Amino acid sequence: MSGVVDVRGLRVVIAGRPVLHDVDLAVPAGQFVALMGANGSGKSTLVRAVTGLRPVAAGEVELFGTPLSRFRAWHRVGYVPQRTGAASGVPASVREVVASGRLGRRRLLTPLSGADRRAVADALAVVGLTDRAADSVATLSGGQQQRVLIARALAGEPEVFFLDEPTAGVDLPHQQALADSLGVLKERGATIVLVAHELGPLAPLVDRAVVLSHGDVTYDGAPLADTDVHVHHHAQQARHDHTPHVGSPLDTLQEPS
C-alpha cells in the first residue's frame, strides 16, 4: 500500500457488534474526500480507527506508508473532533487554544518560538479569527469555536486533516466561513478527509465521495449531491436481510456517524 491513507479489510467491533466490515479506502496526497452516509453508517468510526482513537479488530491501516501500530509522526496528522467545544470548560483565549496545536512540534513547557508564533498567526488568519485572538473561546459562537478547532489543527502544520462533522449544528453563514477556510487548505495542497451527513457550502471543494451504509462502502467515486447519497444508503438497506437491526447506545453516545 502507498499514499497518505491506506486501509484494507478494516473491521471494527464496538460492544460486541461489528460496526465496520472489511472496509477498503485509499486517499492519495492532495485529495479532498467526503465520507458520507446516514447516522450510524460508520463514518466517524472509520476516522477514529484510522487516527488510532478506536481499536481495530482486523485489517490493515497505514498512514504515509507506515503501519498504524508503528506510526509516530503525529505532527503530520490534524484531527478536528465532532461536537467538541473548543473551550472544554477551561478558560482560555482563542490564541492559547490555537497555540496548543503546536505541542507536537515543540517540547512541553518551552516558550513559543518565532516559528510557532507565525504558525499560530497564519492559522488564525486562515479561519478568519485574527481579530478575536485575545478573546475567551467561551464567548464565541458554536461555528466560531469550530473554526478555532480547525485553526488548532492547522497550527501544527499537518499534511492531512481529518474533520468529523465540522458543520453539524452550525448555521449557514458559519458553514460558509468553514468552507472558505478549508478552501485555503485545499489550495495549499493539503489532504482532507471530511465526515459529513450533508455537504452544503463544502460541496464545491470535494474531489471524491465515499458513502458508507451499515459499515459497508456502497459508493466510491465522483462527488455526489446530498440526495444521491441517501439513494446509495437506502439501496444498501434493501440488500440487507430482514433481521431487525438493534441499535447500541454507542450509536448515539460515542459513534453517531
Side-chain angles (χ1 to χ4, degrees):
M1 296 188 287
S2 63
V4 176
V5 178
D6 286 289
V7 175
R8 278 199 308 215
L10 181 65
R11 295 184 65 245
V12 174
V13 177
I14 299 176
R17 182 173 68 86
V19 177
L20 295 177
H21 317 107
D22 300 318
V23 169
D24 295 336
L25 177 69
V27 181
Q31 193 169 70
F32 193 125
V33 178
L35 297 179
M36 306 189 71
N39 288 339
S41 61
K43 308 183 301 295
S44 295
T45 301
L46 176 56
V47 165
R48 285 173 172 265
V50 169
T51 54
L53 298 173
R54 170 64 65 185
V56 172
E60 301 175 58
V61 178
E62 290 185 358
L63 294 174
F64 300 99
T66 301
L68 188 62
S69 60
R70 301 204 308 267
F71 187 76
R72 300 293 181 270
W74 290 107
H75 62 277
R76 303 179 72 182
V77 178
Y79 174 66
V80 179
Q82 182 182 31
R83 292 198 311 268
T84 300
S88 299
V90 178
S93 71
V94 170
R95 183 182 288 106
E96 288 168 337
V97 172
V98 174
S100 70
R102 294 294 295 175
L103 290 176
R105 290 187 173 271
R106 63 187 179 91
R107 297 179 63 180
L108 191 64
L109 302 180
T110 59
L112 292 175
S113 67
D116 293 329
R117 287 190 292 271
R118 286 191 293 273
V120 170
D122 177 69
L124 287 167
V126 168
V127 301
L129 291 175
T130 300
D131 61 337
R132 302 298 300 271
D135 295 348
S136 169
V137 174
T139 66
L140 303 185
S141 69
Q144 289 169 327
Q145 288 194 15
Q146 196 67 26
R147 283 150 62 194
V148 170
L149 293 175
I150 292 174
R152 182 179 67 181
L154 176 58
E157 300 178 294
E159 297 165 53
V160 58
F161 290 84
F162 294 93
L163 300 105
D164 195 352
E165 298 271 16
T167 60
V170 176
D171 62 23
L172 188 57
H174 283 108
Q175 287 183 33
Q176 186 59 58
L178 286 166
D180 294 342
S181 301
L182 295 181
V184 173
L185 300 185
K186 180 175 180 176
E187 289 173 2
R188 293 180 177 183
T191 306
I192 299 172
V193 179
L194 169 79
V195 172
H197 181 62
E198 294 182 343
L199 292 173
L202 299 174
L205 302 175
V206 174
D207 299 313
R208 171 182 164 205
V210 177
V211 180
L212 282 85
S213 178
H214 298 288
D216 296 306
V217 174
T218 59
Y219 176 87
D220 186 344
L224 295 172
D226 291 335
T227 52
D228 293 331
V229 172
H230 300 313
V231 169
H232 284 279
H233 174 76
H234 292 300
Q236 175 69 5
Q237 280 187 310
R239 290 196 294 271
H240 279 199
D241 63 28
H242 295 289
T243 303
H245 171 69
V246 179
S248 162
L250 292 169
D251 292 344
T252 55
L253 294 179
Q254 296 185 31
E255 302 288 344
S257 298

